[in-house]
Amino acid sequence: MSGQSLLVPGEITPVRSVPGNIRRPEYVGKPAPTPYTGPEVQDADTVERMRVAGRIAAQAMEEAAKHIAPGVTTDQLDKVAHDFMVDHGAYPSTLGYRGFQKSLCTSLNEVICHGIPDSTVLRDGDIVNLDVTAYINGVHGDNNATYLCGDVDEESRLLVERTRESLNRAIKAVRPGRQINVIGRVIESYAKRFGYGVVRDFTGHGINSSFHSGLIIPHYDSPHATTVMQPGMTFTIEPMLTLGTHEYDMWEDGWTVVTKDRKRTAQFEHTLVVTETGAEILTLP
């Protein structure tokens, strides 16, 4: 594995502004969102609006990823994604969600998820996850991907490649009439081939007008995930695989989740809608 030194928190810049004419999610300015009580199955109009939100989120992530290079700060990546979403009339869903101060998550190397963009400088050999969610027309679209920064060691490159493949395999397993736990079964069985850990305590989730609806999508074979998939259900799949343990520590910021053994981790995510025959990816650029 790469001999990079471990990450430490950087300096966080002031909160970026969003024009007043852009609609905010209901949780902005509140300590927590109002619990979602609506259906997990969405009508055609909601799904169409989610396609728009998903496309903007995917494009914003792509735009930020173009700037990944040694010497760039994670805060600079946040600015690119923020500006893109705002310029396209969307609100960055993470901004103000439970007090989160930035417009995307940047999770490097041993950070599993929810890294806060700050003055941290990308180094040659880092792997960088960008997690971007856009809110527009009353719905969210959520996606993430892990990118290579410069010359990355083979072990890390394979981890990234295989984590992407685990998501692809999981999406292919989505079918109406199947239980949700088939998703985690496919991911876990694939990850075990390579001795990877599968993060258990952070999951995929239902998404629609709510950022997190309450529906849980585990990435391991959970006997409790017995909800049956139905056409029109919308949720994310976002496997997090590690080179070592699936156990984690939390930084004092209350957000940044790192592997307990500080080995590297990668993640990929799409927002999906269950169709009559499988799944449609809503977060395509």
Side-chain angles (χ1 to χ4, degrees):
M1 189 183 76
S2 168
Q4 298 278 43
S5 58
L6 297 179
L7 294 165
V8 296
E11 296 295 321
I12 298 176
T13 58
V15 173
R16 303 188 196 284
S17 63
V18 177
N21 64 313
I22 293 179
R23 179 178 172 185
R24 272 77 168 148
E26 59 83 23
Y27 52 74
V28 174
K30 296 164 54 178
T34 302
Y36 178 72
T37 57
E40 297 297 347
V41 172
Q42 306 304 311
D43 60 27
D45 173 69
T46 302
V47 172
E48 179 55 36
R49 285 183 285 129
M50 289 181 68
R51 285 191 188 97
V52 174
R55 186 181 311 122
I56 292 172
Q59 291 172 339
M61 184 174 73
E62 276 197 342
E63 194 62 32
K66 292 176 184 176
H67 294 77
I68 290 174
V72 174
T73 67
T74 55
D75 187 67
Q76 288 173 278
L77 301 179
D78 178 80
K79 184 180 188 307
V80 173
H82 176 95
D83 290 349
F84 186 95
M85 284 185 273
V86 167
D87 288 347
H88 288 77
Y91 186 91
S93 300
T94 59
L95 185 61
Y97 180 77
R98 296 184 182 271
F100 195 83
Q101 302 171 62
K102 291 295 173 180
S103 298
L104 81 165
C105 300
T106 49
S107 300
L108 279 60
N109 301 338
E110 69 269 21
V111 180
I112 294 171
C113 57
H114 303 159
I116 303 173
D118 59 17
S119 60
T120 298
V121 176
L122 301 183
R123 301 164 297 182
D124 185 58
D126 283 343
I127 59 173
V128 186
N129 180 271
L130 303 182
D131 192 339
V132 181
T133 311
Y135 178 79
I136 189 170
N137 297 325
V139 296
H140 301 268
D142 184 5
N143 68 163
N144 77 55
T146 303
Y147 299 90
L148 310 180
C149 181
D151 185 16
V152 175
D153 68 272
E154 184 68 7
E155 186 178 37
S156 298
R157 293 173 68 92
L158 285 172
L159 174 67
V160 171
E161 178 183 310
R162 290 164 176 167
T163 305
R164 181 191 293 111
E165 177 62 15
S166 77
L167 173 59
N168 293 340
R169 290 174 180 237
I171 292 170
K172 291 176 183 176
V174 173
R175 290 285 188 283
R178 289 181 175 177
Q179 293 183 343
I180 289 289
N181 56 14
V182 70
I183 294 169
R185 190 175 308 134
V186 166
I187 293 167
E188 187 172 41
S189 63
Y190 180 71
K192 279 183 173 179
R193 287 200 219 168
F194 312 104
Y196 295 155
V198 181
V199 173
R200 300 167 77 90
D201 291 348
F202 299 89
T203 67
H205 52 88
I207 183 170
N208 37 66
S209 60
S210 171
F211 194 172
H212 300 88
S213 73
L215 177 66
I216 300 299
I217 313 294
H219 302 120
Y220 64 99
D221 188 3
S222 169
H224 306 295
T226 57
T227 300
V228 174
M229 291 182 269
Q230 304 174 58
M233 287 181 72
T234 49
F235 52 81
T236 72
I237 304 176
E238 44 188 299
M240 292 150 265
L241 305 186
T242 70
L243 290 176
T245 183
H246 68 269
E247 297 180 343
Y248 68 92
D249 292 322
M250 180 86 72
W251 280 5
E252 289 184 4
D253 60 29
W255 284 105
T256 307
V257 180
V258 295
T259 53
K260 187 168 282 291
D261 57 13
R262 302 305 191 263
K263 291 186 177 180
R264 287 188 166 187
T265 176
Q267 182 184 16
F268 284 84
E269 174 187 20
H270 275 305
T271 295
L272 313 169
V273 60
V274 180
T275 67
E276 296 291 343
T277 57
E280 177 193 345
I281 298 172
L282 299 178
T283 37
L284 291 176

